[in-house]
Amino acid sequence: MKKLLYSMLTVFILINTACSKDFLDVEAPSNVDEDFVLVSPEDAQKVLAGIYDIWYDLDRLLYYETEVVGSDSECHPENYASQNRHIPEGLFATEHLIDDSNARPTFNECYQIINRCNIILEALEAKDAYQQAKAVGEPSAWTQVYGEAVAARATCYKLLVRYFGDVPYFDYAVRTKSQTDTMGLTSRDVIYDKEIEALQKAVPLMYRLGAGGLTAERFSGTYGDALIGRLAFDAAGYQLRRTDFDYGNVSFDQIGIENATWKAKYVRRTDWKSYMEIAKEYYLKVVNNPGSARLIESDERGAGFNNPFQRNFQYLMDLEVSPESLYESGYTQGFNSDFPYSFGRPSGGPGSNGYPAKNYGQARIYASFYYGDFMPNDKRRDVTACVTGNSGKASEVLMNFAPGSREKGGLAMNKLDEARFKDPYEARQRQSGCNWQQLRMADVMLDLAYASAASGDESTAKTYLKKVRSRAFSAADQATFVTAYVDGKSGQALLDAIAFERKLELAGEGKTRWDMTLYGKMPERIKQLRDRQIDMFNGLKNNGYYTFPETGMTISNYVWTKYVNIKTDIDPSLNLLTAQTPEGITVSDPRYPVLVPGWRGTSDTWTDYISTLPSNKVNLAIRGLYEYIDPNGPVALALEADGYVKSPWGINIVGNESQYTSDIFKGYPDSYYNEGQPPRYIRAIPSETLDQSNGNITQGYGHASE
């Protein structure tokens, strides 16, 4: 997987125009004729490469700061007070700098891309060659480039609305400051409508994935249809809206009360169903005409793997584009890449030459989600979260619920793991070359299921809910956990089941926070999360364990661990790193402590290094993860006699009470829920934009203006 690398040529002419500092601070255009680089579609694609070059980092900062750490499944690892970024993630318990070092670059880079796209689109529309290609009515190299620019612009506006609410909108090239002198905020409803309309015109003339040489590292017609669906879905959803802003003739359904201090309310438009119909229509276009994209429903790797869900992520770790991807942001090994450093299985290794090198682990999984939402036979559980991290010395280390990073901070993400790479990159941290999978087929199918159910088409909804859920369970479990489970749902229960499935399917991918918002469930789900965490805390504190009623799974204060060499002590054929836990294995099986949970361990490619370690310092055997073992009882005594060590587990949740209870969504306490207050998730508009707007752009949602 590589970035789209092109010669400098005059490809990056557009760098000298459009928003190098702020979208209202426009430098003079280049004195080079812009049309020079658009002589052919290939030259136009080189110009687009400049946009993709920004895209590799676009949204990473706010994704890192809020989206992948701020839901009812995903959390941050450090103490709340240790990082200012926990303030917006937790819905602003205190005020935050409006020129936040993560929000401001995201705002500016989105507008930088938007204006470059507008310049490209304007130049293309003026070319006879493009107009002739468009008149044919079939995809061509010219119309594909045009569609990519439209898709990039629309995606940026989608992000801006998600993070900042109503924002300035322009769909024309801005070259001089005078063009923005009277520009104010535009209603998100107008933005959604205009970008949907532009995409509806452009997408039919784009190549589907796999055609025209397209991979998922570029925007395709397949992605474009999904983007229309996403924009319509967002337009139909609940969002935080200003009460000091004119939304024209759009009327709203409201949840809870208006906050007079923030001048905001939590609403969706009353005609939301018409947008859900659009979402359904275009999501169906994706699944019915996906090009080369597909849901991975089987695992060709053979015995021992048997996990098509994990197969998707293994493509990324093999540095291959996944067939499930509609869009992946491409990275090159040896260059900066945050995946899996921030969003994968942590490692305590050094910054370079580690086994693997340091992985910080910015995003983690709530214990109440891991134990209380995943059924123990759901194949996604162990792939999503891991109870061990990498030591950095080619061995496992038990995760620790004490706040911190690396092995500390709680349950680790496990969809990406540098130890699981086909060819692990050991030279330096943050340079793995692993792509960022931003949209995959399961995501689209579950959105389609929700839009269908919301539109009254429960048959289609159940079809796609079953399709995604089916691969998470074995053949023996299909009748109970897929067919009967889905067929027994209708109305709001079906919508809730789809929302829950998205939570299970997409955990650790930064999608759940926005889902909570759009479904109108953010206040309710925050309260439910905090209550479950408190119940778990009280059980651990008072009894030494807590059993989740939904799954029957038990978390305890202590587990028992022992280092083993599975190749010599257990089974030379085993490789925990890629092992799906065998069906029906019980605690009486001598392999149980190393096979449950699965998808952990260390890389066999480090055999030479492992040989320098003591043979008992590679893999962890663990007992007590899902059962309560009395520390003073006979089982504990027998384990310790066998060399196991009593190790802290839930006791570190007890020792850090606020981290796991009151600090969760600290800006939305129970009193807000009881009052029906709206959730304050929207970010502040940067001060530079306010200052240069001549008073036409004002701050909202209670944020300061300077």
Side-chain angles (χ1 to χ4, degrees):
M1 297 188 214
K2 297 183 178 179
K3 292 184 180 182
L4 301 172
L5 300 175
Y6 295 96
S7 64
M8 292 304 288
L9 190 59
T10 49
V11 170
F12 299 111
I13 165 188
L14 300 182
I15 287 176
N16 294 320
T17 65
C19 325
S20 62
K21 297 180 181 178
D22 184 89
F23 89 99
L24 290 179
D25 184 19
V26 182
E27 297 180 0
S30 169
N31 58 8
V32 180
D33 181 6
E34 291 169 5
D35 189 59
F36 177 79
V37 295
L38 300 183
V39 171
S40 69
E42 291 73 23
D43 285 334
Q45 182 59 51
K46 292 175 184 177
V47 176
L48 272 178
I51 289 173
Y52 282 110
D53 196 59
I54 300 172
W55 208 278
Y56 304 125
D57 200 50
L58 184 74
D59 190 34
R60 181 183 63 82
L61 296 175
L62 290 188
Y63 177 89
Y64 179 101
E65 184 171 277
T66 60
E67 299 308 290
V68 76
V69 293
S71 75
D72 58 354
S73 58
E74 304 147 330
C75 56
H76 58 255
E78 315 99 331
N79 275 315
Y80 178 86
S82 68
Q83 301 282 352
N84 284 334
R85 60 174 174 254
H86 298 154
I87 295 173
E89 172 262 315
L91 305 187
F92 300 99
T94 56
E95 296 310 310
H96 193 55
L97 294 173
I98 68 170
D99 289 325
D100 171 71
S101 60
N102 288 331
R104 184 171 178 266
T106 301
F107 188 88
N108 291 344
E109 286 180 357
C110 279
Y111 278 110
Q112 187 178 37
I113 289 176
I114 286 166
N115 204 35
R116 292 185 186 188
C117 288
N118 287 337
I119 291 172
I120 293 171
L121 295 172
E122 181 184 87
L124 287 171
E125 288 168 354
K127 289 194 70 66
D128 289 340
Y130 165 74
Q131 293 295 342
Q132 291 166 7
K134 179 182 175 183
V136 173
E138 297 288 340
S140 70
W142 279 116
T143 58
Q144 169 61 30
V145 171
Y146 186 93
E148 286 181 74
V150 173
R153 185 183 70 187
T155 304
C156 284
Y157 276 123
K158 177 195 71 171
L159 293 173
L160 285 166
V161 170
R162 174 182 301 179
Y163 293 133
F164 301 98
D166 309 293
V167 294
Y169 178 79
F170 53 97
D171 55 2
Y172 51 86
V174 172
R175 294 181 175 82
T176 65
K177 180 71 168 61
S178 62
Q179 290 177 274
T180 65
D181 282 346
T182 60
M183 189 179 294
L185 298 176
T186 299
S187 162
R188 70 196 71 180
D189 305 302
V190 173
I191 296 173
Y192 286 138
D193 286 348
K194 283 184 171 292
E195 291 306 295
I196 288 172
E197 182 182 8
L199 285 164
Q200 286 172 327
K201 294 176 180 177
V203 168
L205 299 181
M206 296 177 72
Y207 293 119
R208 309 307 281 185
L209 262 177
L214 283 186
T215 74
E217 290 182 309
R218 284 173 58 187
F219 299 132
S220 63
T222 312
Y223 173 82
D225 277 334
L227 182 55
I228 296 172
R230 180 77 259 179
L231 290 171
F233 197 103
D234 287 3
Y238 284 94
Q239 297 186 31
L240 189 65
R241 300 251 190 171
R242 296 174 65 161
T243 58
D244 60 349
F245 184 80
D246 183 7
Y247 291 102
N249 60 0
V250 178
S251 58
F252 302 105
D253 297 323
Q254 183 170 328
I255 294 176
I257 66 173
E258 173 188 325
N259 188 296
T261 303
W262 307 337
K263 297 182 179 178
K265 56 187 179 181
Y266 191 33
V267 299
R268 70 177 174 188
R269 48 190 304 161
T270 55
D271 61 348
W272 62 272
K273 277 193 176 181
S274 64
Y275 286 89
M276 277 297 187
E277 291 283 3
I278 295 172
K280 175 189 170 186
E281 175 187 355
Y282 281 88
Y283 283 142
L284 280 171
K285 288 178 183 287
V286 175
V287 299
N288 290 332
N289 185 18
S292 59
R294 60 181 173 86
L295 183 74
I296 300 173
E297 298 179 85
S298 61
D299 192 338
E300 84 289 354
R301 294 173 294 181
F305 293 91
N306 192 27
N307 195 322
F309 175 74
Q310 194 278 334
R311 184 69 184 100
N312 166 66
F313 304 102
Q314 193 61 52
Y315 277 107
L316 305 179
M317 291 179 279
D318 290 347
L319 304 190
E320 299 174 6
V321 176
S322 171
E324 188 159 321
S325 292
L326 273 69
Y327 179 70
E328 296 181 12
S329 189
Y331 293 85
T332 302
Q333 194 168 83
F335 293 86
N336 191 40
S337 167
D338 237 5
F339 303 83
Y341 174 89
S342 296
F343 315 115
R345 189 173 172 218
S347 171
S352 58
N353 300 317
Y355 297 89
K358 175 187 173 183
N359 280 313
Y360 169 74
Q362 156 68 0
R364 303 299 174 95
I365 291 293
Y366 277 114
S368 60
F369 170 61
Y370 178 80
Y371 280 93
D373 283 343
F374 279 111
M375 298 304 294
N377 55 342
D378 190 327
K379 293 182 181 181
R380 295 172 294 194
R381 185 193 68 181
D382 298 347
V383 174
T384 298
C386 199
V387 300
T388 65
N390 294 299
S391 68
K393 298 180 180 179
S395 61
E396 287 189 277
V397 60
L398 185 69
M399 298 305 296
N400 189 321
F401 281 104
S405 65
R406 305 189 190 192
E407 84 281 359
K408 294 183 178 180
L411 293 167
M413 300 293 188
N414 200 34
K415 289 180 175 178
L416 301 176
D417 177 9
E418 289 205 52
R420 201 173 288 125
F421 277 42
K422 180 194 298 183
D423 183 17
Y425 186 75
E426 298 134 17
R428 197 168 188 82
Q429 67 185 28
R430 284 182 143 157
Q431 295 186 358
S432 68
C434 184
N435 274 8
W436 178 5
Q437 187 177 53
Q438 295 188 19
L439 184 63
R440 59 187 179 92
M441 188 61 78
D443 186 344
V444 168
M445 287 181 171
L446 290 174
D447 260 357
L448 169 58
Y450 195 97
S452 298
S455 304
D457 182 1
E458 294 195 350
S459 176
T460 298
K462 291 180 179 182
T463 294
Y464 288 99
L465 175 56
K466 286 179 181 177
K467 198 170 182 66
V468 173
R469 186 172 174 84
S470 178
R471 70 175 179 179
F473 294 93
S474 68
D477 290 329
Q478 292 292 311
T480 300
F481 290 95
V482 180
T483 305
Y485 172 85
V486 174
D487 287 346
K489 303 289 192 296
S490 187
Q492 186 61 47
L494 178 58
L495 289 170
D496 291 343
I498 298 166
F500 182 61
E501 201 67 28
R502 283 183 61 83
K503 182 181 176 183
L504 295 172
E505 177 74 19
L506 300 168
E509 298 180 50
K511 304 296 181 80
T512 305
R513 180 184 176 95
W514 188 233
D515 283 352
M516 291 167 63
T517 307
L518 292 177
Y519 300 155
K521 299 289 187 177
M522 181 173 262
E524 177 183 329
R525 286 172 64 167
I526 289 172
K527 181 67 165 60
Q528 290 173 346
L529 166 65
R530 197 155 45 222
D531 286 349
R532 290 179 88 192
Q533 290 278 126
I534 290 171
D535 287 344
M536 177 184 67
F537 171 86
N538 288 333
L540 292 168
K541 180 180 180 181
N542 298 326
N543 304 316
Y545 67 93
Y546 179 76
T547 300
F548 287 85
E550 301 89 347
T551 61
M553 302 300 288
T554 297
I555 181 173
S556 304
N557 280 341
Y558 297 98
V559 297
W560 278 256
T561 62
K562 179 174 71 169
Y563 276 107
V564 297
N565 188 323
I566 59 172
K567 302 296 184 182
T568 59
D569 301 344
I570 310 295
D571 183 341
S573 68
L574 291 180
N575 181 0
L576 294 188
L577 201 63
T578 54
Q580 179 61 35
T581 302
E583 294 179 35
I585 189 170
T586 66
V587 72
S588 62
D589 190 315
R591 300 173 301 163
Y592 180 91
V594 294
L595 289 180
V596 180
W599 299 99
R600 58 187 178 91
T602 190
S603 175
D604 276 352
T605 65
W606 294 324
T607 302
D608 291 343
Y609 184 84
I610 291 173
S611 68
T612 69
L613 294 172
S615 62
N616 63 341
K617 296 294 184 183
V618 179
N619 295 110
L620 270 181
I622 311 172
R623 281 290 307 276
L625 274 172
Y626 311 118
E627 58 178 326
Y628 174 64
I629 297 176
D630 182 350
N632 300 311
V635 175
L637 293 176
L639 287 169
E640 289 167 14
D642 192 31
Y644 282 83
V645 176
K646 186 176 77 169
S647 304
W649 191 238
I651 191 65
N652 283 337
I653 293 177
V654 176
N656 294 277
E657 179 177 2
S658 64
Q659 172 79 357
Y660 295 103
T661 57
S662 58
D663 284 346
I664 294 173
F665 284 101
K666 197 169 185 176
Y668 199 84
D670 287 356
S671 59
Y672 278 21
Y673 177 78
N674 295 333
E675 293 166 4
Q677 295 286 356
R680 187 187 182 204
Y681 65 87
I682 287 182
R683 309 297 294 250
I685 294 174
S687 63
E688 189 174 26
T689 296
L690 301 174
D691 293 344
Q692 296 180 17
S693 72
N694 298 320
N696 292 308
I697 298 175
T698 59
Q699 193 71 271
Y701 313 103
H703 296 301
S705 295
E706 56 184 20

Coordinates of all heavy atoms in Angstrom, one line a residue, residues 171-225:
D171 N -19.0 26.6 -3.1 CA -18.8 25.6 -4.1 C -18.2 26.2 -5.4 O -18.4 25.8 -6.5 CB -20.1 24.8 -4.5 CG -21.2 25.7 -4.9 OD1 -21.0 27.0 -5.0 OD2 -22.3 25.2 -5.1
Y172 N -17.4 27.3 -5.2 CA -16.7 28.0 -6.3 C -15.3 28.3 -5.8 O -15.0 28.2 -4.6 CB -17.4 29.3 -6.7 CG -17.7 30.2 -5.4 CD1 -16.7 31.0 -5.0 CD2 -18.9 30.1 -4.8 CE1 -17.0 31.8 -3.9 CE2 -19.2 30.9 -3.7 CZ -18.2 31.7 -3.2 OH -18.4 32.5 -2.1
A173 N -14.4 28.5 -6.8 CA -13.0 28.8 -6.5 C -12.8 30.1 -5.8 O -13.3 31.2 -6.3 CB -12.2 28.7 -7.7
V174 N -12.2 30.1 -4.6 CA -11.9 31.4 -3.9 C -10.4 31.7 -4.2 O -9.5 30.9 -3.8 CB -12.2 31.3 -2.4 CG1 -11.7 32.5 -1.7 CG2 -13.6 31.0 -2.2
R175 N -10.1 32.9 -4.8 CA -8.8 33.3 -5.1 C -8.4 34.6 -4.4 O -7.2 34.9 -4.3 CB -8.6 33.4 -6.6 CG -8.7 32.0 -7.3 CD -8.5 32.2 -8.8 NE -8.5 30.9 -9.5 CZ -9.6 30.3 -9.9 NH1 -10.8 30.8 -9.6 NH2 -9.5 29.1 -10.5
T176 N -9.3 35.4 -4.0 CA -9.0 36.6 -3.4 C -9.8 36.8 -2.1 O -10.9 36.3 -2.0 CB -9.4 37.8 -4.3 OG1 -10.8 37.9 -4.6 CG2 -8.6 37.7 -5.7
K177 N -9.3 37.6 -1.2 CA -9.9 37.9 0.1 C -11.3 38.5 -0.1 O -12.3 38.2 0.6 CB -9.1 38.8 0.9 CG -9.6 39.1 2.3 CD -9.6 38.0 3.2 CE -9.9 38.4 4.7 NZ -11.2 39.0 4.8
S178 N -11.5 39.3 -1.2 CA -12.7 40.0 -1.4 C -13.9 39.0 -1.6 O -15.1 39.4 -1.3 CB -12.6 41.0 -2.6 OG -12.3 40.3 -3.7
Q179 N -13.6 37.9 -2.1 CA -14.7 36.9 -2.3 C -15.3 36.3 -1.0 O -16.4 35.8 -1.1 CB -14.1 35.7 -3.1 CG -13.8 36.0 -4.6 CD -13.2 34.8 -5.3 OE1 -12.0 34.6 -5.2 NE2 -14.0 34.0 -6.0
T180 N -14.6 36.5 0.1 CA -15.1 36.0 1.3 C -15.6 37.1 2.3 O -16.0 36.8 3.4 CB -14.0 35.2 2.0 OG1 -12.9 36.0 2.4 CG2 -13.5 34.1 1.1
D181 N -15.5 38.4 1.9 CA -15.8 39.5 2.8 C -17.2 39.4 3.4 O -17.4 39.8 4.5 CB -15.6 40.8 2.1 CG -14.1 41.2 1.9 OD1 -13.3 40.5 2.6 OD2 -13.8 42.1 1.1
T182 N -18.2 38.9 2.7 CA -19.5 38.9 3.2 C -20.0 37.4 3.5 O -21.2 37.2 3.7 CB -20.5 39.5 2.1 OG1 -20.4 38.7 0.9 CG2 -20.1 40.9 1.8
M183 N -19.1 36.5 3.5 CA -19.4 35.1 3.8 C -19.7 34.9 5.2 O -19.0 35.2 6.1 CB -18.3 34.2 3.3 CG -18.6 32.7 3.3 SD -17.3 31.7 2.8 CE -17.1 32.2 1.1
G184 N -20.9 34.3 5.5 CA -21.3 33.9 6.8 C -21.4 32.4 7.0 O -20.9 31.6 6.2
L185 N -22.1 32.0 8.0 CA -22.4 30.6 8.2 C -23.6 30.1 7.3 O -24.5 30.9 7.0 CB -22.8 30.3 9.6 CG -21.7 30.6 10.7 CD1 -22.3 30.3 12.1 CD2 -20.5 29.7 10.4
T186 N -23.5 28.9 6.8 CA -24.6 28.3 5.9 C -25.2 27.2 6.7 O -24.5 26.4 7.4 CB -24.0 27.8 4.6 OG1 -23.4 28.9 3.9 CG2 -25.1 27.2 3.8
S187 N -26.5 27.1 6.6 CA -27.2 26.0 7.3 C -26.7 24.7 6.8 O -26.5 24.5 5.6 CB -28.7 26.1 7.0 OG -29.4 24.9 7.3
R188 N -26.6 23.7 7.7 CA -26.1 22.4 7.3 C -27.1 21.8 6.4 O -26.7 20.9 5.6 CB -25.9 21.6 8.6 CG -27.2 21.2 9.3 CD -26.9 20.7 10.7 NE -26.4 21.8 11.6 CZ -26.1 21.6 12.9 NH1 -26.2 20.4 13.4 NH2 -25.7 22.6 13.6
D189 N -28.4 22.2 6.5 CA -29.4 21.6 5.6 C -29.1 22.0 4.1 O -29.2 21.1 3.2 CB -30.8 22.1 6.0 CG -31.1 21.8 7.4 OD1 -31.0 20.6 7.8 OD2 -31.3 22.7 8.2
V190 N -28.7 23.2 3.9 CA -28.3 23.7 2.6 C -27.0 22.9 2.1 O -26.9 22.5 0.9 CB -28.0 25.2 2.6 CG1 -27.5 25.6 1.2 CG2 -29.3 25.9 2.9
I191 N -26.1 22.8 3.0 CA -24.8 22.1 2.6 C -25.1 20.6 2.2 O -24.6 20.2 1.2 CB -23.8 22.1 3.8 CG1 -23.4 23.6 4.1 CG2 -22.6 21.3 3.5 CD1 -22.6 23.8 5.4
Y192 N -25.9 19.9 3.0 CA -26.2 18.5 2.7 C -26.9 18.5 1.3 O -26.5 17.7 0.5 CB -27.2 17.9 3.7 CG -26.5 17.6 5.0 CD1 -27.1 17.8 6.3 CD2 -25.3 16.9 5.1 CE1 -26.6 17.5 7.5 CE2 -24.7 16.6 6.3 CZ -25.3 16.9 7.5 OH -24.7 16.5 8.7
D193 N -27.9 19.3 1.1 CA -28.6 19.3 -0.2 C -27.8 19.6 -1.4 O -27.8 18.9 -2.4 CB -29.8 20.3 -0.1 CG -30.9 19.9 0.8 OD1 -31.0 18.7 1.2 OD2 -31.8 20.7 1.1
K194 N -26.9 20.6 -1.3 CA -26.1 21.0 -2.4 C -25.0 19.9 -2.7 O -24.8 19.6 -3.9 CB -25.4 22.3 -2.1 CG -26.3 23.5 -2.3 CD -25.5 24.8 -2.1 CE -26.4 26.0 -2.5 NZ -26.7 26.1 -3.9
E195 N -24.4 19.3 -1.7 CA -23.4 18.3 -1.9 C -24.0 17.0 -2.4 O -23.4 16.3 -3.2 CB -22.6 18.1 -0.7 CG -21.7 19.2 -0.3 CD -20.8 19.7 -1.5 OE1 -19.9 18.9 -1.9 OE2 -21.0 20.8 -2.0
I196 N -25.2 16.6 -1.9 CA -25.9 15.5 -2.4 C -26.2 15.7 -3.9 O -26.0 14.8 -4.8 CB -27.2 15.2 -1.6 CG1 -26.8 14.6 -0.3 CG2 -28.1 14.2 -2.4 CD1 -28.0 14.5 0.7
E197 N -26.7 16.8 -4.3 CA -27.0 17.1 -5.7 C -25.8 17.1 -6.5 O -25.9 16.5 -7.7 CB -27.7 18.5 -5.8 CG -28.1 18.9 -7.2 CD -28.7 20.3 -7.3 OE1 -28.6 21.0 -6.3 OE2 -29.2 20.6 -8.3
A198 N -24.7 17.6 -6.1 CA -23.5 17.6 -6.9 C -23.0 16.2 -7.1 O -22.6 15.8 -8.2 CB -22.4 18.4 -6.2
L199 N -23.1 15.3 -6.1 CA -22.7 13.9 -6.2 C -23.6 13.2 -7.1 O -23.2 12.3 -7.8 CB -22.6 13.3 -4.8 CG -21.4 13.7 -3.9 CD1 -21.7 13.3 -2.4 CD2 -20.2 13.0 -4.4
Q200 N -24.9 13.4 -7.0 CA -25.8 12.7 -7.8 C -25.6 12.9 -9.3 O -25.8 12.0 -10.1 CB -27.3 13.2 -7.5 CG -27.8 12.6 -6.2 CD -29.1 13.2 -5.8 OE1 -29.4 14.4 -6.1 NE2 -29.9 12.4 -5.1
K201 N -25.0 14.1 -9.7 CA -24.7 14.4 -11.1 C -23.3 13.7 -11.4 O -23.1 13.3 -12.6 CB -24.6 15.9 -11.3 CG -25.9 16.6 -11.1 CD -25.8 18.1 -11.3 CE -27.1 18.8 -11.2 NZ -26.9 20.3 -11.2
A202 N -22.4 13.7 -10.5 CA -21.0 13.3 -10.8 C -20.8 11.7 -10.7 O -20.1 11.1 -11.5 CB -20.0 13.9 -9.9
V203 N -21.5 11.1 -9.8 CA -21.2 9.7 -9.5 C -21.5 8.7 -10.6 O -20.8 7.8 -10.9 CB -21.9 9.2 -8.2 CG1 -21.9 7.7 -8.0 CG2 -21.3 9.9 -7.0
P204 N -22.6 8.9 -11.4 CA -22.9 8.0 -12.5 C -21.8 8.0 -13.5 O -21.7 7.0 -14.3 CB -24.2 8.5 -13.1 CG -24.9 9.2 -11.9 CD -23.8 9.9 -11.2
L205 N -21.0 9.0 -13.6 CA -19.9 9.1 -14.6 C -18.5 8.7 -13.9 O -17.5 9.0 -14.5 CB -19.8 10.5 -15.2 CG -21.1 10.9 -15.9 CD1 -20.9 12.3 -16.5 CD2 -21.4 9.9 -17.0
M206 N -18.5 8.1 -12.8 CA -17.3 7.6 -12.1 C -17.2 6.1 -12.3 O -18.2 5.4 -12.4 CB -17.3 8.0 -10.6 CG -17.3 9.5 -10.3 SD -17.4 9.8 -8.5 CE -15.7 9.3 -8.0
Y207 N -16.0 5.6 -12.3 CA -15.8 4.1 -12.3 C -16.2 3.5 -11.0 O -16.0 4.1 -9.9 CB -14.3 3.8 -12.6 CG -13.9 4.2 -14.0 CD1 -12.8 5.1 -14.1 CD2 -14.4 3.6 -15.1 CE1 -12.4 5.5 -15.4 CE2 -14.0 4.0 -16.4 CZ -13.0 4.9 -16.5 OH -12.5 5.3 -17.8
R208 N -16.8 2.3 -11.1 CA -17.0 1.5 -9.9 C -15.6 1.0 -9.4 O -14.7 0.9 -10.2 CB -18.0 0.4 -10.1 CG -19.3 0.7 -10.7 CD -20.0 1.8 -10.0 NE -20.7 1.4 -8.8 CZ -21.5 2.2 -8.1 NH1 -21.6 3.5 -8.4 NH2 -22.1 1.7 -7.0
L209 N -15.5 0.6 -8.2 CA -14.3 0.0 -7.7 C -13.9 -1.2 -8.5 O -14.7 -2.0 -8.9 CB -14.5 -0.5 -6.2 CG -14.0 0.4 -5.1 CD1 -14.4 -0.2 -3.7 CD2 -12.6 0.7 -5.2
G210 N -12.6 -1.2 -8.9 CA -12.0 -2.3 -9.7 C -12.0 -2.0 -11.2 O -11.3 -2.6 -11.9
A211 N -12.8 -1.0 -11.6 CA -12.8 -0.6 -13.0 C -11.9 0.6 -13.2 O -11.6 1.3 -12.2 CB -14.2 -0.2 -13.5
G212 N -11.4 0.8 -14.4 CA -10.6 2.0 -14.7 C -9.3 2.0 -13.9 O -8.7 3.1 -13.6
G213 N -8.8 0.9 -13.4 CA -7.6 0.8 -12.6 C -7.8 1.3 -11.1 O -6.8 1.5 -10.4
L214 N -9.0 1.5 -10.7 CA -9.3 2.0 -9.4 C -9.2 1.0 -8.3 O -9.8 -0.1 -8.4 CB -10.7 2.7 -9.3 CG -10.9 4.0 -9.9 CD1 -12.3 4.5 -9.6 CD2 -9.9 5.0 -9.4
T215 N -8.5 1.3 -7.2 CA -8.5 0.5 -6.0 C -9.2 1.4 -4.9 O -9.6 2.6 -5.2 CB -7.1 0.2 -5.5 OG1 -6.5 1.3 -4.9 CG2 -6.3 -0.4 -6.6
A216 N -9.4 0.9 -3.7 CA -10.1 1.6 -2.7 C -9.2 2.7 -2.1 O -9.6 3.4 -1.1 CB -10.5 0.7 -1.6
E217 N -8.0 2.9 -2.6 CA -7.2 4.0 -2.2 C -7.5 5.3 -3.0 O -6.9 6.4 -2.7 CB -5.7 3.7 -2.4 CG -5.2 2.6 -1.4 CD -3.7 2.3 -1.5 OE1 -3.3 2.1 -2.6 OE2 -3.0 2.4 -0.5
R218 N -8.5 5.2 -3.8 CA -9.0 6.4 -4.5 C -10.5 6.4 -4.4 O -11.2 5.4 -4.2 CB -8.6 6.5 -6.0 CG -7.2 6.9 -6.2 CD -6.8 6.7 -7.7 NE -7.6 7.5 -8.6 CZ -7.5 7.4 -9.9 NH1 -6.7 6.5 -10.5 NH2 -8.3 8.1 -10.7
F219 N -11.1 7.6 -4.6 CA -12.6 7.7 -4.5 C -13.2 7.2 -5.8 O -12.8 7.6 -6.9 CB -13.0 9.2 -4.3 CG -12.5 9.8 -3.0 CD1 -11.9 11.0 -3.0 CD2 -12.7 9.1 -1.8 CE1 -11.5 11.6 -1.8 CE2 -12.2 9.6 -0.6 CZ -11.6 10.9 -0.6
S220 N -14.1 6.3 -5.7 CA -14.8 5.6 -6.8 C -16.2 6.0 -6.9 O -16.8 6.6 -5.9 CB -14.6 4.1 -6.7 OG -15.3 3.7 -5.5
G221 N -16.9 5.5 -7.9 CA -18.4 5.6 -7.9 C -19.0 4.9 -6.8 O -20.1 5.2 -6.3
T222 N -18.4 3.7 -6.4 CA -18.9 2.9 -5.3 C -18.9 3.8 -4.1 O -19.9 3.8 -3.3 CB -18.1 1.7 -5.1 OG1 -17.9 1.0 -6.4 CG2 -18.8 0.7 -4.2
Y223 N -17.8 4.4 -3.8 CA -17.7 5.3 -2.6 C -18.6 6.5 -2.7 O -19.2 6.9 -1.8 CB -16.2 5.8 -2.5 CG -16.1 6.8 -1.4 CD1 -15.9 6.5 -0.1 CD2 -16.1 8.2 -1.7 CE1 -15.8 7.4 1.0 CE2 -15.9 9.1 -0.7 CZ -15.8 8.8 0.6 OH -15.7 9.7 1.6
G224 N -18.7 7.0 -4.0 CA -19.6 8.2 -4.2 C -21.1 7.9 -3.8 O -21.7 8.7 -3.2
D225 N -21.6 6.7 -4.2 CA -23.0 6.4 -3.8 C -23.1 6.2 -2.3 O -24.1 6.6 -1.7 CB -23.4 5.0 -4.5 CG -23.9 5.3 -5.9 OD1 -24.4 6.4 -6.2 OD2 -23.8 4.3 -6.8

